[in-house]
Amino acid sequence: MQIELNPILRKLPEHLKQFIKPQNYKGYSPVDQAVWRYVMRKNVYFLGNVAHKSYLQGLKQTGISTEHIPNMYGMNRILKEIGWAAVAVDGFIPPNAFMEFQAYNVLVIASDIRQLEHIEYTPAPDIIHEAAGHAPIIANPEYAEYLRRFGELGCKAISSAKDYELYEAVRHLSIIKEAPNTAEKDIKRAEHNIDELQKNMGTPSEMALLRNLHWWTVEYGLIGSLSNPKIYGAGLLSSIGESEWCLTNAVTKLPYTMEAIFKDFDITKPQPQLYVTPDFAHLSLILEEFANTMALRTGGLGGVLKLIHSRALGTIELSTGLQISGIFTKVLEHNDAPIYIQTFGKSALSYREKELVGHDTNTHSRGFGCPIGKLKGINIAIEDMSPRDLAAYNIYEEQTVTLEFEGGIKVSGEIITGKRNLQGKIILISFKNCTVTHQDTILFKREWGIYDMAVGKEIVSAFSGPADLNSFNLITHIPSEKTIQVKKTEERLRLESLYQQIRDYRTKKNQTISRTKVLEELIENHANDWLLPVEIFELTFIDNKTELREKVLKHLETVKQNRPEVGKLIDDGLEIIREAKVPN
């Protein structure tokens, strides 16, 4: 139904669809709905004055209600009006996939919701963070374009092997921290593992640096002046504790510049400093400044080395536009420039993101290697040669030649044919009976079959992933662990029943329910619960039940004495209700 309602989702490639899971709306308990309602009402109450003006407007535009957890079906129906869509996923997904969803104007929403015990903040992505934090701000066109552009560049950013280790460690922590009854020692061990990984990441990859930019803008960004900034970051908009604390003098405010890429963060703790952008357009300026440093734009030896270090599927693009996709394992260099590259295993050749006919992963199943650069002693590069030039140097069908490149690569064999790009430049030459050498090292033997030599005087781009998404089987993601769903106890089910009764009363589904009896049962069997009494307190204003109101307040004072850590949550909830006087 989501795909039918929102045409943007029809455009998603198949490999992204593997991360989507159905939103089990019936799985949200009455307690979950109360948690959503409390956080959203507190956010709207508090953030109305401190969030960027797009926030409240965006809540209306995206159809997000304070009264109930959003349904993906309804969200997609409304989001398509502003050119976006939303999908549900299970917690954290790999960074490149997350970025690619953004590039398609699709919000990734972790459909689980935080426990009541973590109502102020959770390191795990949840529907409060995603739907109430990210969705409203994308109604601002300038910010929405920044987010899309970030995704477009981010999905091309090259990761390191250690990045994936860190992703798995963070995902594990987020899962166990939100799982009921997780032992404290297990959480401490997971946090220690993340600390150790972060200390030993080595030179940060492009993805690691982009992740920092994402954190300090999309998640924890402030906007306006240093002296009076407003909130726009989703992590702040969805954290009722940190959204207040971040604006105090306890948090250092810094101008947002490229320096933010080098500032790491700890997802388990409040942030000691935040960056302030003067406006949303400035975000795109910094992003473009960083993009100019990425291998996507710089190519060269550095780009190949990044791909080798990543140990993952990547692509280089040559000056002719020919693209080589595979897992890069080796590069030979001369005078700080690449002179030969090699992939391992399944590889494919493309031009302008479209696979070349006859050059798929079956043809190049054992890897692909080719020289880079100009021929030795010849001023003009092969790609710049006219047909007459090529004939003059015997680069012609059925001619047996030895091509010696600057740097010492030699290609000797009989030319079969060549392929040209749309501009007429030759991009690929195929040989038979071919040998490729570098000094005394044999790089290709004639008995291996046809040698396809890519043509390019330089590497102009290097990026993560394949050039043509259809060249490789990308539907391979198997999460190492899933969000933990614990079987509910009888006591928990009885508590949820009480929450449901109060919810039914407020929504006028059943107003024969005795609120007094619900409170009495709560006090007797669930004395430490604080949120349901706050909800009952709100309902006493409907018909001015002053006696019941006093009972609720008396009980809440007892809860605060027994659980001082929830005292501020209770007081804030009561203040919002008193300000409103009557329920919405």
Side-chain angles (χ1 to χ4, degrees), residues 31 34-35 38 116 119 499 529-536 556:
V31 178
V35 166
Y38 178 92
L116 175 57
I119 195 168
Y499 269 86
D529 184 86
W530 65 270
L531 183 53
L532 188 57
V534 170
E535 294 231 314
I536 295 172
L556 285 172

Side-chain angles (χ1 to χ4, degrees), residues 526-547:
H526 312 280
N528 283 326
D529 184 86
W530 65 270
L531 183 53
L532 188 57
V534 170
E535 294 231 314
I536 295 172
F537 175 79
E538 179 186 18
L539 296 182
T540 65
F541 287 94
I542 290 178
D543 45 8
N544 201 27
K545 291 283 186 181
T546 54
E547 186 178 343

Side-chain angles (χ1 to χ4, degrees), residues 21-25 28 32-33 35-37 39-40 43 55 59 64-65 68-73 75 86-91 107-115 122 124-136 178 234 237-238:
K21 73 165 193 175
Q23 181 193 28
N24 178 18
Y25 199 85
Y28 295 122
D32 294 335
Q33 293 285 1
V35 166
W36 169 272
R37 189 167 181 270
V39 173
M40 288 305 297
N43 278 1
Y55 177 71
L59 282 177
I64 295 172
S65 168
H68 54 79
I69 296 169
N71 189 308
M72 300 296 290
Y73 175 90
M75 274 191 74
V87 295
V89 299
D90 183 27
L107 278 180
V108 173
I109 294 181
S111 56
D112 291 322
I113 190 166
R114 64 195 65 178
Q115 299 177 63
T122 173
D126 76 335
I127 198 163
I128 291 176
H129 173 79
E130 311 288 4
H134 287 293
E178 271 303 309
L237 292 173
S238 60

Side-chain angles (χ1 to χ4, degrees), residues 116-183:
L116 175 57
E117 290 74 18
H118 300 152
I119 195 168
E120 289 191 281
Y121 173 77
T122 173
D126 76 335
I127 198 163
I128 291 176
H129 173 79
E130 311 288 4
H134 287 293
I137 299 294
I138 63 167
N140 181 291
E142 185 71 39
Y143 181 76
E145 173 56 20
Y146 168 71
L147 205 60
R148 185 203 66 78
R149 185 67 174 151
F150 202 112
E152 195 172 54
L153 292 168
C155 68
K156 300 292 187 184
I158 301 171
S159 300
S160 71
K162 287 189 175 182
D163 286 334
Y164 198 77
E165 280 186 67
L166 182 61
Y167 154 73
E168 287 286 3
V170 170
R171 177 176 167 82
H172 172 66
L173 173 64
S174 71
I175 288 173
I176 65 170
K177 207 161 186 178
E178 271 303 309
N181 308 318
T182 300

Side-chain angles (χ1 to χ4, degrees), residues 31 69 98 108 232 244 249 261 265 303 343 462 515 531:
V31 178
I69 296 169
F98 179 86
V108 173
Y232 75 90
E244 292 186 49
N249 291 332
I261 67 171
F265 55 88
T343 66
R515 291 159 287 173
L531 183 53

Side-chain angles (χ1 to χ4, degrees), residues 514-532:
S514 169
R515 291 159 287 173
T516 302
K517 285 185 178 178
V518 171
L519 179 65
E520 288 171 353
E521 186 176 341
L522 183 82
I523 293 171
E524 183 177 348
N525 298 316
H526 312 280
N528 283 326
D529 184 86
W530 65 270
L531 183 53
L532 188 57

Side-chain angles (χ1 to χ4, degrees), residues 332-334 339 407-410 436-443:
L332 300 180
E333 57 182 282
H334 177 71
I339 58 172
I409 303 294
K410 288 183 181 179
V436 182
T437 60
H438 178 246
Q439 297 171 356
D440 296 330
T441 303
I442 298 175
L443 301 171

